[in-house]
């Protein structure tokens, strides 16, 4: 429990990190550092995207699986680390 | 053999009402079989007869209607909370969350994900991994596809008797329509039941023309008004000019009067830039160029006779077979003649004599096409006899560039509206040639055999991608050019400008040299032949004089030879007779 907190704190302290969300497989945000409305929005949209990405990869090659998903946009970068039951979503503003 | 039935009637019975009556059938002729005739035939045994016993197949094609599909997504706003948890209730959600956080699984996965994530975050912070490193390299669109063109559609003359497509014109905006002028230009080959109609085609529908134009005489040329896309003007085979409005149907709205029009087929008609947008001028082989106002076609507004001696006499006039007008130079225009000369004229000259400014002589046969380069108006292209020539306005003696003599007659040519170095020609053997002067000058860059019969006319659409060419049997083919031929290449304009300048300079130098030589020749001949009287030193002597001179030279040479022989004979006669004979024999 404490390690979880520590990990999250460490991530939060990295340069440019704007928000962290932990979501479970049903799309319920377990932990978040952002306000509720944005969390809900992010979760709802990203959940579908991750499901789609994963199913795409599995369709192409059943042995394959999604390990990491990065969405780089003009304003920031959304990084999603999927797992069997949970995802970790981090929004970062890369310094360039 | 004739089967004849003879009956006899009394003279007095002629003219009487006939009384018909029934009678049984009567055998008139019975032609029985004639065995001797059978001897003319040979019995054939065995006979080879092929039969095929196969299943009859037929091919069908079915085109289903387009199935329209749309992609939609659903956004679930709130996650899949279990049934007992009410998402609105803060307490319940917090409780749920706390429960999850205590889960073993949760802890391990978060720790693992966290480390992966940290890596990526640090990576991001370290360098910009998506930096565009290849910014400086130029996009490699130098890939030159080979020049290509393919036929998209063919519009055939719907009439039985096929006529030549002698003129083509694209619709001024939208370029969806193509107007074709159909006529038979071969002398007296036009049959009596040849239709006079000309058609406007929609390029998407080659089966039926969109509109039929019915002139009083077949149209030789047809042009859309660039200002008003509904009106067209056409020049007829009998010399009249007709004006159509497509909104008003197939009959011409106005027709010029026969007395005031041309006396020969109108070979070319061009719309002019004017405030009213109704001015056009036409040229014909009767030697006249007439200006018309479309609203009043009863008589031309202006008349010019193409007479080089500037007297305005129709007998000495040169027949015009091509006409050229560039909107950027509204007072100048050029006429290509049947005699192979190109005349450059100024419309606004003070007197008719000054209207013809200068002439360019280059072709051995009629000039069938004449067009200025849309990018370099000083240079123009002419086509006639078996060559295509590019001229510069400054050099009047000869063209600056020309093609080799081709195997068949060139009938029409035009520049590409998008690429200054490319022009197209069509020939009597049905071949369309694409010339790219930057690529190859000796032969066409691309030669396509469009059809088996000769191609008579050619017109490119303004976008430069589509071109239409008309053949002798009434088929107008629509071709689409490949991207390399219809997009402006880098530096093309400057390269072409440089090439034209270079050729112009070369011709200028050659011309100057010629002039020098002639001057020298003239001064030399003047000195040596002062008593012969002045002769024109530029070589233009009367053919009779030349013949007379040649004859005189010939006879004087013979006389001199005869005298010489006489002298020798006399000399030998003084010697011994035998020796003389021998010598004479030897001398002969």
């Amino acid at each position: 429990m404490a390690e979880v907190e520590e990990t999250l704190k460490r991530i939060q302290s990295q340069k440019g990190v704007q928000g962290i969300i932990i979501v479970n497989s049903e799309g319920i945000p377990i932990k978040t550092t952002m306000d509720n409305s944005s969390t809900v929005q992010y979760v709802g949209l990203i959940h579908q995207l991750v499901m789609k990405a994963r199913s795409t990869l599995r369709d192409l090659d059943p042995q394959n699986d999604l390990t990491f998903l990065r969405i780089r946009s003009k304003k920031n970068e959304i990084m999603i680390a999927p797992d069997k039951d949970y995802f970790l979503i981090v929004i970062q503003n890369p310094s360039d | 053999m004739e089967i004849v039935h003879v009956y006899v009637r009394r003279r007095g019975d002629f003219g009487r009402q006939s009384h018909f009556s029934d009678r049984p059938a009567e055998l008139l002729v019975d032609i029985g079989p004639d065995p001797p005739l059978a001897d003319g035939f040979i019995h054939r045994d065995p006979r080879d007869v092929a039969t095929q016993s196969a299943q009859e197949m037929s091919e069908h094609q079915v085109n289903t209607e387009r199935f329209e599909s749309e992609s939609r997504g659903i956004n679930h706003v709130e996650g899949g909370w279990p049934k007992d948890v009410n998402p609105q209730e803060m307490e319940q959600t917090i409780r749920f969350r706390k429960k999850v956080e205590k889960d073993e699984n949760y802890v391990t996965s978060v720790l693992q994900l966290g480390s992966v994530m940290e890596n990526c975050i640090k990576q991001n912070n370290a360098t910009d991994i998506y930096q565009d490193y290849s910014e400086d390299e130029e996009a490699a669109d130098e890939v030159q596809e080979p020049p290509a063109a393919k036929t998209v559609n063919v519009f055939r003359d719907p009439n039985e008797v096929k006529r030549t497509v002698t003129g083509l014109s694209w619709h001024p905006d939208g370029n969806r329509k193509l107007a074709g002028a159909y006529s038979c230009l071969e002398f007296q080959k036009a049959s009596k039941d040849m239709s006079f109609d000309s058609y406007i085609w929609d390029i998407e529908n080659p089966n039926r023309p969109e509109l039929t134009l019915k002139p009083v005489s077949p149209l030789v040329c047809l042009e859309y008004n660039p200002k008003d896309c509904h009106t067209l003007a056409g020049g007829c085979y009998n010399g009249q000019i007709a004006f159509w409005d497509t909104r008003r149907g197939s009959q011409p709205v106005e027709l010029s009067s026969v007395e005031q029009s041309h006396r020969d087929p109108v070979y070319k008609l061009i719309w002019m830039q004017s405030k009213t947008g109704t001015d056009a001028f036409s040229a014909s082989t009767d030697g006249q160029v007439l200006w018309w106002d479309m609203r009043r076609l009863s008589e031309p507004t202006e008349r010019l006779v193409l007479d080089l001696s500037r007297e305005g006499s129709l007998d000495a006039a040169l027949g015009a077979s091509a006409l050229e007008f560039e909107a950027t130079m509204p007072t100048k225009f050029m006429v290509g003649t049947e005699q192979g000369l190109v005349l450059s004229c100024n419309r606004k000259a003070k007197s008719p004599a000054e209207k013809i400014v200068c002439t360019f002589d280059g072709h051995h046969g009629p000039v069938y096409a004449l067009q200025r380069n849309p990018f370099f108006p000083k240079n123009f292209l002419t086509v006639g006899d078996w060559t295509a020539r590019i001229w510069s306005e400054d050099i009047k003696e000869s063209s600056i560039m020309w093609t080799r003599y081709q195997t068949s007659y060139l009938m029409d040519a035009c520049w590409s509206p998008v690429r200054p170095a490319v022009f197209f020609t069509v020939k009597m053997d049905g071949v369309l040639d694409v010339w790219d002067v930057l690529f190859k000058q000796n032969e066409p860059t691309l030669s396509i055999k469009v059809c088996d019969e000769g191609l008579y006319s050619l017109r490119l659409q303004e976008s430069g991608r589509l071109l239409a060419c008309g053949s002798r049997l009434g088929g107008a083919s629509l071709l689409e050019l490949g991207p390399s031929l219809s997009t402006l290449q880098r530096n093309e304009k400057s390269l072409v400008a440089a090439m034209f300048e270079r050729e112009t300079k070369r011709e200028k130098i050659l011309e100057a040299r010629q002039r020098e030589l002639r001057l020298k020749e003239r001064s030399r001949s003047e000195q040596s032949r002062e008593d012969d009287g002045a002769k024109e030193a530029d070589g233009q002597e009367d053919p009779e004089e030349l013949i007379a001179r040649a004859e005189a030279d010939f006879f004087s040479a013979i006389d001199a030879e005869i005298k010489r022989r006489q002298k020798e004979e006399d000399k030998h006669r003084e010697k011994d007779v035998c020796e003389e004979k021998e010598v004479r024999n030897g001398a002969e």
Side-chain angles (χ1 to χ4, degrees):
Chain A
M1 196 39 223
E3 293 119 2
V4 170
E5 291 296 333
E6 205 194 296
T7 311
L8 294 182
K9 231 185 231 58
R10 225 187 19 241
I11 292 176
Q12 182 76 39
S13 64
Q14 293 283 357
K15 195 159 71 130
V17 172
Q18 284 171 342
I20 309 176
I21 308 172
I22 303 179
V23 194
N24 80 346
S25 51
E26 282 156 9
I28 303 170
I30 307 296
K31 197 134 185 83
T32 172
T33 61
M34 305 196 312
D35 57 283
N36 200 26
S37 53
S38 344
T39 303
V40 166
Q41 203 178 19
Y42 266 97
V43 163
L45 296 165
I46 289 178
H47 184 77
Q48 293 174 55
L49 184 64
V50 173
M51 287 302 132
K52 191 69 176 174
R54 188 179 260 158
S55 73
T56 304
L57 286 179
R58 297 294 280 260
D59 279 346
L60 290 172
D61 179 359
Q63 316 288 348
N64 213 348
D65 195 9
L66 184 65
T67 51
F68 200 83
L69 187 61
R70 273 205 219 220
I71 303 167
R72 200 176 179 94
S73 74
K74 275 201 284 205
K75 299 197 178 153
N76 48 23
E77 182 164 350
I78 304 171
M79 289 173 281
I80 304 147
D83 189 61
K84 201 158 60 75
D85 301 319
Y86 301 94
F87 316 151
L88 174 63
I89 303 171
V90 173
I91 299 119
Q92 187 192 17
N93 201 345
S95 52
D96 51 345
Chain B
M1 71 134 69
E2 251 182 37
I3 300 179
V4 175
H5 178 61
V6 182
Y7 72 99
V8 177
R9 230 181 170 192
R10 267 179 46 211
R11 176 96 205 234
D13 283 338
F14 279 9
R16 274 222 198 126
Q17 189 191 30
S18 351
H19 296 290
F20 293 111
S21 60
D22 251 336
R23 64 162 170 78
E26 200 180 288
L27 182 63
L28 289 177
V29 175
D30 182 18
I31 307 176
D34 198 0
L37 284 180
D39 293 335
F41 295 88
I42 307 173
H43 215 78
R44 210 179 184 193
D45 191 12
R47 268 189 70 199
D48 239 316
V49 177
T51 52
Q52 182 172 13
S53 162
Q55 224 177 12
E56 263 188 44
M57 312 265 247
S58 70
E59 188 181 305
H60 290 279
Q61 277 183 344
V62 171
N63 202 7
T64 53
E65 274 180 35
R66 270 190 61 184
F67 183 72
E68 292 210 8
S69 62
E70 209 179 299
S71 264
R72 283 176 188 235
I74 305 178
N75 190 13
H76 297 278
V77 176
E78 196 64 54
W81 294 98
K83 265 202 296 229
D84 49 356
V85 177
N86 183 357
Q88 311 300 336
E89 288 244 345
M90 273 278 291
E91 226 182 78
Q92 290 185 5
T93 50
I94 291 175
R95 212 182 324 140
F96 180 80
R97 283 193 178 118
K98 282 230 165 44
K99 195 170 43 145
V100 171
E101 279 173 19
K102 292 206 172 73
D103 190 12
E104 211 21 71
N105 213 359
Y106 173 78
V107 175
T108 38
S109 44
V110 170
L111 288 175
Q112 194 235 326
L113 291 177
S115 59
V116 170
M117 184 62 77
E118 250 188 285
N119 244 341
C120 286
I121 291 175
K122 285 187 187 150
Q123 214 177 42
N124 261 351
N125 284 333
T127 54
D128 179 11
I129 65 174
Y130 296 110
Q131 185 188 6
D132 196 9
Y133 291 108
S134 54
E135 249 173 32
D136 298 327
E137 283 169 30
E138 259 170 4
D141 56 357
E142 300 293 325
V143 180
Q144 292 282 12
E145 296 163 21
K150 59 179 170 75
T151 313
V152 173
N153 246 332
V154 181
F155 306 98
R156 296 192 201 280
D157 188 355
N159 300 75
E160 280 286 317
V161 180
K162 307 279 178 208
R163 301 148 307 152
T164 313
V165 182
T166 49
L168 287 167
S169 171
W170 285 93
H171 194 259
D173 36 62
N175 293 314
R176 316 270 336 133
K177 302 202 225 176
L178 179 64
Y182 293 77
S183 63
C184 185
L185 279 180
E186 287 171 51
F187 190 56
Q188 292 185 345
K189 283 251 179 80
S191 59
K192 273 195 285 276
D193 44 349
M194 186 179 93
S195 137
F196 291 164
D197 298 339
S198 291
Y199 303 105
I200 297 184
W201 299 87
D202 183 339
I203 57 177
E204 303 284 304
N205 182 9
N207 302 319
R208 269 185 339 110
E210 193 179 315
L211 182 62
T212 307
L213 300 173
K214 296 188 194 296
V216 291
S217 144
L219 284 180
V220 178
C221 62
L222 185 56
E223 289 284 331
Y224 265 101
N225 185 348
K227 293 256 171 70
D228 179 3
C229 53
H230 294 285
T231 53
L232 299 114
C236 299
Y237 192 69
N238 65 358
Q240 284 178 291
I241 310 284
F243 177 67
W244 275 272
D245 188 331
T246 54
R247 296 167 290 205
R248 298 238 230 127
S250 316
Q251 295 294 329
V253 173
E254 276 217 45
L255 196 55
S256 66
S257 55
V258 181
E259 311 85 46
Q260 298 291 340
S261 313
H262 291 283
R263 302 211 157 62
D264 262 359
V266 178
Y267 273 89
K268 193 90 176 149
L269 175 77
I270 299 190
W271 288 91
M272 293 179 61
Q273 292 280 27
S274 71
K275 288 192 284 266
T276 57
T278 53
D279 287 331
F281 65 131
S282 64
S284 155
T285 38
D286 65 354
Q288 293 179 73
V289 175
L290 300 175
W291 278 264
W292 305 88
D293 183 338
M294 287 297 147
R295 296 165 295 188
R296 250 193 67 231
L297 279 179
S298 49
E299 62 163 10
T301 49
E302 220 183 303
R303 195 184 286 265
L304 169 65
V305 177
L306 299 171
D307 183 14
L308 275 185
S309 59
R310 312 227 153 102
E311 278 165 28
S313 71
L314 270 178
D315 300 323
L318 308 165
S321 50
L323 199 56
E324 204 285 334
F325 176 74
E326 177 75 26
T328 49
M329 294 187 279
T331 57
K332 290 207 287 189
F333 65 96
M334 292 207 287
V335 183
T337 62
E338 270 188 314
Q339 286 76 9
L341 291 170
V342 173
L343 309 172
S344 167
C345 309
N346 186 342
R347 190 182 174 194
K348 294 271 179 283
K350 304 272 180 350
S351 70
E354 286 172 32
K355 285 238 167 114
I356 301 176
V357 173
C358 53
T359 69
F360 300 87
D361 185 4
H363 282 286
H364 309 299
V367 176
Y368 278 115
L370 174 57
Q371 196 191 8
R372 283 185 201 261
N373 189 328
F375 293 84
F376 301 99
K378 278 203 141 197
N379 296 298
F380 57 96
L381 170 70
T382 61
V383 143
D385 59 51
W386 293 268
T387 59
R389 288 171 188 269
I390 301 181
W391 303 73
S392 162
E393 269 189 350
D394 308 322
I395 312 288
K396 306 204 182 10
E397 308 279 309
S398 72
S399 52
I400 60 173
M401 289 168 71
W402 57 92
T403 66
R404 256 195 305 198
Y405 281 99
Q406 306 287 310
T407 44
S408 52
Y409 217 75
L410 268 71
M411 292 308 292
D412 200 356
C414 63
W415 289 99
S416 161
V418 289
R419 287 195 60 189
V422 172
F423 66 93
F424 303 82
T425 57
V426 283
K427 303 213 287 245
M428 280 299 275
D429 57 1
V431 171
L432 166 76
D433 285 329
V434 180
W435 300 79
D436 183 348
V437 290
L438 287 181
F439 189 62
K440 256 198 269 190
Q441 277 114 28
N442 295 330
E443 25 177 58
T445 309
L446 180 63
S447 260
I448 306 170
K449 190 156 171 76
V450 176
C451 52
D452 287 326
E453 61 266 10
L455 287 171
Y456 269 77
S457 55
L458 169 72
R459 197 51 92 89
L460 261 122
Q461 201 205 42
E462 265 150 40
S463 65
R465 282 208 74 124
L466 290 177
L467 75 80
C469 41
S471 76
R472 198 166 57 80
L473 294 180
S477 308
L478 187 67
L479 283 95
E480 182 172 342
L481 299 171
S484 59
L485 287 172
S486 53
T487 43
L488 192 59
Q489 308 286 325
R490 268 185 326 150
N491 301 336
E492 188 169 334
K493 267 206 207 172
S494 46
L495 285 172
V496 172
M499 174 179 286
F500 283 153
E501 258 201 55
R502 195 180 63 219
E503 298 297 324
T504 314
K505 229 197 291 185
R506 177 180 63 94
E507 281 301 315
K508 236 192 262 201
I509 293 176
L510 280 176
E511 201 187 314
R513 177 122 181 83
Q514 284 279 4
R515 239 181 288 149
E516 259 183 50
L517 281 175
R518 263 187 264 133
L519 224 57
K520 248 191 253 169
E521 173 76 38
R522 196 192 305 197
S523 56
R524 220 178 340 116
S525 71
E526 272 182 10
Q527 282 177 1
S528 60
R529 295 204 210 162
E530 276 167 326
D531 33 29
D532 267 25
K535 278 209 181 95
E536 277 191 333
D538 53 356
Q540 282 192 341
E541 290 171 333
D542 224 352
E544 280 120 24
E545 279 178 23
L546 271 173
I547 292 174
R549 199 151 55 94
E551 268 183 52
D553 285 339
F554 179 68
F555 283 127
S556 60
I558 291 193
D559 284 339
E561 178 67 19
I562 291 178
K563 276 199 198 108
R564 192 180 64 79
R565 292 216 184 153
Q566 278 282 18
K567 241 191 264 178
E568 276 192 14
E569 246 188 69
D570 293 340
K571 237 192 276 174
H572 292 308
R573 222 175 266 153
E574 290 166 2
K575 295 181 184 166
D576 224 352
V577 178
C578 332
E579 275 177 306
E580 190 190 325
K581 271 206 191 129
E582 276 181 333
V583 168
R584 208 192 308 153
N585 285 340
E588 275 165 32

